Amino acid sequence: MNGSDALGHAPATSSGARAQEPHALDPRALLDRLVGEHPERLLHVHEVPARPARFGQWPDWLDPTLLGALTGSGIAQPWRHQVDVAEAAHAGEHVVVSTGTASGKSLGYLMPLLTDIMSGARAPNGRGATALYLAPTKALAADQLDRITRLALPTVRAATYDGDTPADERRWIRDHANLVLTNPDLVHHSLLPGHDRWASFLRALRYVVVDECHVYKGVFGSHLAAVVRRLRRVAARYRANPTFVFASATVADPAVHASRLLGMPLGSVTEDGSPRAPMTFALWEPPLLVDEQGRPRRVSTLTETGDLLAQCVEEDVQTVAFARSRAGVEVVANVARDRVSATREAGIAAYRGGYLPEERRELERGLRERRLVGIAATNALELGVDVTGLDAVLLAGWPGTLASLWQQAGRAGRTGHRSLAVLVAADDPLDTFVVHHPESIFGRGVEATVVDPDNPHVLGPHLAAAAAELPVTDADVDLFGPQTRPLLDALVARGILRKRPRGWFWARDDRPTEHLSLRGTGEPVRIVETRTGRVVGTVDEASAHAQVHTGAVHLHQGQTWVVTELDLDDNAAFAVRGDPGWTTQAQSVSEFSIVRELEAARWGPLRCSFGHVTVTHQVVSFLRRLPGGEVLGEHPLDLPPRSLATKAMWWTLPVDELARAGVDEADIPGAAHAAEHAAIGMLPLFATADRWDIGGVSTALHPDTGQPTILIYDGHPGGAGFAERGFRRVREWLTATRDAIAGCECAGGCPSCIQSPKCGSGNDPLDKAAAIALLDLTLAQAGPRAPLLTQP
C-alpha cells in the first residue's frame, strides 16, 4: 500500500510522493542473489496469495464535515470491515475488530467516535460526548493524535495525556478535551484515583477504544482487565455507560479474548476487507560454524540479518529489519552500515521506542521519499510510525507469536506489487524448529491469547485500588468476578480495607496505586545513579536479584552500569556508569513443592499433571565473563530465597521405565534438564508466551512424587495461563520439543536445541541423546487419546 495513510487506504492522489517510484520487486530473483554461494541457508519459500479489496458504503449517519475530511485525505470508499465496526459501535454495541496489519482498523472506530464528538460539541459545555483512547505505548497514542489532527476537524479537541504532559496542560485536558488519548498506566495512576477532577469528561463518556488489545496477555492482560472493570465502575458513578471498541491484530478467538478483558460479551469483526499484495515468505537459517574450542556455534542472527539488510540496501530494496531488543537494533544497523558502500551508509537508520514525535515524522518522510532505504527497528507495536508499504521485511528471530510474525511481515507490500519477508532463525530451539517445519507457520491458524481476569495476585491489589476510588459494595462482586469476596475478606484481615455497612473502604493513608505497577507484580526496584541520586530506570521485583545484584553489569537503554549495592529494603539498586570489559551472569538454585494437583493424565506408568505449586528460587553467585565467553571468576552472593506461588504442569517418569528406554540412572539429571530447557523454548509455539514468562525445574528424584520429575511453570504469581495451555496441548508440544532436539545438527547440545540463555546452573548437566530417549518414552506412553482425569 504505497503511500498508505494512517487509516489504511491508498490515497487517490499522491501527497509527499516518493522521490522516484522504484521498479517492481521480484522476490525470487532477490532471494537468489541473497543466498549467493550458500544456498543451504534458505530452507523454505512460501507464496502468500493476493487478496482483493471488499468495499462498503459510507454510513448515512456520518458527520458531513468528517466525510469531507476523509474523502479529502484520499479515502474514496471504506472497506467492508471498517463499516461493520462503525455500525456496531454507533449502535452502542461493544465490539472487537481483528484484522491484519495496515487494514485501517482505526477508521472503523473513528467514524462513530468523531461523529458523536462533533455532534456533542453543540452542548452548552462543548462536551456532549467524549471518548477515551487507550494504547499500550505513548508512541502509539501520539501517532493516533497526529492522524486525527491532520483531519482538521474544528470541534474535535483531542490531546494526549501521559507521564510527560505538563501540569497546566493536564488541567486544560481534564476541563476541555473531548478526546483523550492515553495508556492504561495513566488511567490506573491518575484518572481513576482522581476521578472527581474528571467529572465533566466522565459524565459525557461515550466511547472507550482499547487499541492493540492482543498485547494484553498473561499478567499484563489480567491487569488491563481489572483496570477496565474499575473504569466501568467509576463511569457508572457519573451515569455513563460507554461503548467499548477493541482493536486487535489477527488472533484466534478475538471475541473471547476481548470479552475477558471487558468482563462482558461483545461482537466481533474478523473478515478483512482490505486488499493484500502477493508476498514471498522465506525461512532462513544462519550457517553452523565451529569455534576455536571446537564447539558448534551459528553465525549470530543479528549479524546475519544485518548482512541481509546491507544486501537489500545495495539492491535499492526498501527494507525494515525487526530485532527483538533495542540493543539488537543497534547491532543490525551497525552491521549493515559496515557492509554497504560509503554512499549508501546514510540510507540506513536504527529506530527504537523513545523518539520524539517530530523525529518519528522525519523518519516517515525519509522512508516516503526513499532517503532511507534500510531501517532496523524494534517490534512494529513500539514503532508508532507509518512504515507500511515497504519492499521487504527481515525478522531477526521468532517474534514471540505467530500473530506477531504476520503483523510484522505485513509491513511490506506496496499496492499491487509483490513483497518479500524473511524469518532469520535465532540460535534457540523454537526458531530452529519453525524454520525446519514450515507447516508450523503456514499450515495453522494464529494462537489464542491467554488472559486470566481472576488471578488473585493481580485482582487483590486492584480491589484495594477500587475501594480507594469508591467504596466497594456487594453489587461490585459480579463486576469483578467470583474471587472478589474472599479477596476482600483477606484485604480486611491485613488491615488494607475496612468493612462498613455501606461496603469496603480503603483504610490506609497512602495511595494503593503507588504500590501497583501494571507492567509486573510487586513494587519495581529503582536503578539509582550513586553519584547524583538520579533514578535512571527500574526493573521488576522478580528480576532484580538476577539482573541488578551487587556486582552486576547491567545494560539500560544502551548504557552500561555496574551495580555497587542492591538494597532490598529500599527497593533500590545503586549503580555507576561504565563498562568494566566483562559481563555478569547470575547463578541460582531452584526447587519446587506441589501444593495441589488440579488435573492429571495417567499415561501407563507415567503421569502428567497440572496444578498449584510453590517454586523457590535463590540467586547464590554470579559469573564474570569476557566477551569471548571465558569465565574470569565466580563470586558468591548473600541474597534471600524468593518463593513464587504459581501454576505449573509437570510429568513424572519411573526410573525403571527410563532404564528400559536407555536412560541410565546417572544420566537422568542431564536428560531431564535438557528436556526441560527445550520444552520451555518450544512452549511459545503453543501459548502466547515469551520464554522469559515461563520457567522450569527438573529433578532426578522429587520428594512429592518420589520419581524423576520435570516441571514447567508460569513465572508470575498466581499463574498466567501459559502452563495450562501447554498441559492442554501437551502431546503436540512435547512432540515438537523432541523433534527440535533430534533435528539439530549439533552432536552434544547447543543453544539451538538444549542450552538455555537463562539457565541458573550454567547449562550443566545436559545430555542431548538421553533427552531424546526420555521424550520418546513420554510420547510412546502418552498415545493419541490418553484420558485427562479431573482431580478432586
Side-chain angles (χ1 to χ4, degrees):
M1 298 174 196
N2 183 25
S4 166
D5 78 0
L7 304 179
H9 287 258
T13 58
S14 175
S15 58
R18 297 174 186 266
Q20 67 178 71
E21 187 66 18
H23 56 79
L25 175 68
D26 183 342
R28 290 278 185 165
L30 176 60
L31 279 174
D32 289 341
R33 296 191 292 275
L34 292 177
V35 298
E37 298 177 358
H38 300 283
E40 71 280 359
R41 297 182 295 175
L42 181 61
L43 300 181
H44 183 79
V45 178
H46 179 82
E47 296 294 338
V48 180
R51 180 182 62 218
R54 292 190 302 120
F55 291 101
Q57 300 298 318
W58 293 113
D60 54 12
W61 45 258
L62 192 65
D63 185 277
T65 304
L66 174 58
L67 177 59
L70 293 172
T71 55
S73 69
I75 304 173
Q77 196 175 1
W79 292 321
R80 177 64 184 270
H81 67 273
Q82 295 170 324
V83 176
D84 291 343
V85 173
E87 293 287 6
H90 184 256
E93 300 170 5
H94 307 302
V95 65
V96 58
V97 53
S98 177
T99 53
T101 304
S103 60
K105 290 183 280 286
S106 58
L107 180 59
Y109 56 73
L110 285 177
M111 283 192 280
L113 184 154
L114 294 175
T115 291
D116 283 5
I117 285 176
M118 295 169 75
S119 175
R122 292 188 286 271
N125 66 351
R127 289 210 290 191
T130 61
L132 187 65
Y133 168 91
L134 303 180
T137 65
K138 292 189 290 187
L140 281 175
D143 192 54
Q144 189 70 258
L145 174 65
D146 184 65
R147 299 170 179 180
I148 294 166
T149 302
R150 278 187 272 164
L151 293 175
L153 303 169
T155 57
V156 174
R157 298 189 298 276
T160 55
Y161 189 97
D162 56 41
D164 298 330
T165 307
D168 55 341
E169 288 186 29
R170 290 188 177 207
R171 195 175 305 111
W172 183 91
I173 292 168
R174 290 194 299 265
D175 294 342
H176 301 289
N178 45 27
L179 172 54
V180 173
L181 302 101
T182 185
N183 52 67
D185 308 81
L186 262 292
V187 175
H188 165 63
H189 287 290
S190 182
L191 189 154
L192 291 173
H195 60 81
D196 53 330
R197 294 179 296 169
W198 289 85
S200 172
F201 180 88
L202 290 169
R203 283 192 191 97
L205 187 60
R206 188 76 55 84
Y207 296 99
V208 177
V209 175
V210 182
D211 204 359
E212 304 286 354
C213 74
H214 58 281
V215 171
Y216 302 110
K217 61 189 179 184
V219 170
F220 192 22
S222 300
H223 280 296
L224 190 278
V227 168
V228 167
R229 284 157 176 77
R230 286 164 54 199
L231 177 61
R232 287 172 49 200
R233 181 171 170 266
V234 167
R237 158 70 176 78
Y238 295 94
R239 296 181 178 168
N241 184 25
T243 298
F244 282 79
V245 181
F246 293 82
S248 170
T250 303
V251 296
D253 299 324
V256 172
H257 175 57
S259 68
R260 286 177 180 155
L261 295 176
L262 179 59
M264 291 189 289
L266 78 176
S268 64
V269 175
T270 57
E271 292 293 327
D272 195 335
S274 64
R276 180 183 64 199
M279 172 189 290
T280 298
F281 205 123
L283 304 182
W284 189 284
E285 185 174 46
L288 186 67
L289 306 178
V290 178
D291 65 16
E292 296 175 355
Q293 284 76 38
R295 295 171 301 190
R297 288 287 184 271
R298 290 201 180 276
V299 172
S300 159
T301 310
L302 300 174
T303 301
E304 188 85 350
T305 304
D307 183 64
L308 292 173
L309 180 60
Q311 292 183 68
C312 289
V313 169
E314 290 287 8
E315 295 263 356
D316 200 36
V317 174
Q318 196 170 44
T319 304
V320 59
F322 289 116
R324 290 189 279 198
S325 70
R326 296 179 177 188
V329 164
E330 300 292 344
V331 171
V332 170
N334 288 337
V335 169
R337 291 191 193 101
D338 289 344
R339 301 188 182 185
V340 296
S341 58
T343 57
R344 288 284 192 179
E345 281 188 48
I348 297 172
Y351 182 79
R352 52 180 175 74
Y355 280 33
L356 298 173
E358 54 267 28
E359 293 173 313
R360 296 201 306 275
R361 297 290 83 80
E362 176 58 30
L363 182 70
E364 285 184 327
R365 281 193 295 272
L367 289 167
R368 195 163 52 240
E369 297 166 8
R370 292 191 71 84
R371 288 183 285 108
L372 285 179
V373 183
I375 178 171
T378 43
N379 62 65
L381 169 65
E382 192 175 45
L383 279 173
V385 295
D386 180 15
V387 293
T388 56
L390 306 182
D391 298 313
V393 168
L394 307 174
L395 296 94
W398 179 257
T401 65
L402 195 56
S404 296
L405 180 93
W406 289 113
Q407 185 185 32
Q408 293 183 15
R411 297 282 157 180
R414 292 181 288 122
T415 304
H417 293 278
R418 286 187 171 273
S419 61
L420 173 67
V422 181
L423 171 63
V424 183
D427 205 7
D428 68 42
L430 178 53
D431 286 54
T432 302
F433 179 85
V434 296
V435 295
H436 284 274
H437 295 80
E439 71 279 4
S440 67
I441 296 176
F442 305 114
R444 67 188 188 100
V446 295
E447 309 91 341
T449 305
V450 176
V451 174
D452 179 12
D454 298 322
N455 183 330
H457 295 268
V458 174
L459 183 57
H462 280 281
L463 288 171
E469 292 152 9
L470 296 168
V472 175
T473 67
D474 290 330
D476 295 321
V477 172
D478 289 340
L479 175 66
F480 286 107
Q483 294 269 31
T484 303
R485 195 171 293 279
L487 287 172
L488 289 171
D489 292 340
L491 291 168
V492 171
R494 292 167 55 194
I496 295 172
L497 299 185
R498 184 176 292 116
K499 179 71 169 71
R500 290 289 183 262
R502 291 195 301 114
W504 288 263
F505 291 73
W506 176 246
R508 292 169 44 156
D509 295 331
D510 55 354
R511 287 174 44 158
T513 53
E514 294 173 358
H515 308 285
L516 177 59
S517 167
L518 302 188
R519 309 283 170 157
T521 54
E523 190 164 347
V525 173
R526 296 164 291 127
I527 303 171
V528 181
E529 186 173 26
T530 302
R531 184 175 58 86
T532 63
R534 178 173 64 98
V535 176
V536 298
T538 62
V539 296
D540 64 273
E541 184 184 32
S543 304
H545 287 210
Q547 292 187 13
V548 291
H549 56 77
T550 300
V553 177
H554 183 70
L555 187 66
H556 180 74
Q557 294 191 350
Q559 298 177 343
T560 302
W561 298 79
V562 179
V563 179
T564 58
E565 180 190 2
L566 173 59
D567 187 338
L568 296 174
D569 293 330
D570 193 33
N571 284 311
F574 297 92
V576 295
R577 273 188 64 180
D579 188 347
W582 61 75
T583 60
T584 55
Q585 182 180 14
Q587 302 292 289
S588 61
V589 294
S590 299
E591 59 184 29
F592 67 92
S593 60
I594 296 170
V595 178
R596 184 158 61 100
E597 185 181 66
L598 298 176
E599 293 183 56
R602 172 66 70 181
W603 298 340
L606 279 63
R607 186 179 183 90
C608 180
S609 306
F610 168 73
H612 294 281
V613 299
T614 298
V615 180
T616 302
H617 182 83
Q618 185 175 18
V619 175
V620 295
S621 64
F622 69 94
L623 303 178
R624 288 188 299 134
R625 291 183 184 273
L626 292 173
E630 301 88 343
V631 176
L632 292 175
E634 182 172 2
H635 306 271
L637 292 168
D638 184 19
L639 289 169
R642 290 177 53 85
S643 292
L644 174 70
T646 186
K647 291 180 181 176
M649 68 78 60
W650 62 94
W651 76 99
T652 59
L653 309 97
V655 173
D656 56 346
E657 291 293 331
L658 285 166
R660 278 192 283 273
V663 182
D664 294 335
E665 192 165 355
D667 298 330
I668 291 174
H673 194 194
E676 169 216 321
H677 278 186
I680 291 171
M682 293 304 296
L683 183 54
L685 193 62
F686 301 92
T688 51
D690 186 277
R691 71 179 298 159
W692 301 94
D693 290 325
I694 47 185
V697 186
S698 55
T699 176
L701 178 64
H702 192 273
D704 291 342
T705 65
Q707 294 182 333
T709 305
I710 300 171
L711 176 134
I712 310 296
Y713 64 88
D714 292 336
H716 301 278
F722 305 132
E724 182 177 5
R725 185 59 57 88
F727 177 72
R728 302 286 173 220
R729 303 185 65 183
V730 65
R731 298 176 192 87
E732 298 168 79
W733 170 31
L734 295 185
T735 298
T737 300
R738 186 263 179 213
D739 291 347
I741 301 174
C744 186
E745 302 170 54
C746 73
C750 70
S752 291
C753 55
I754 60 174
Q755 293 178 5
S756 168
K758 61 174 185 172
C759 181
S761 59
N763 283 300
D764 183 56
L766 293 175
D767 190 323
K768 179 178 179 178
I772 295 172
L774 181 153
L775 289 166
D776 282 340
L777 168 64
T778 302
L779 293 166
Q781 294 291 342
R785 287 182 294 275
L788 288 181
L789 309 174
T790 301
Q791 299 298 307

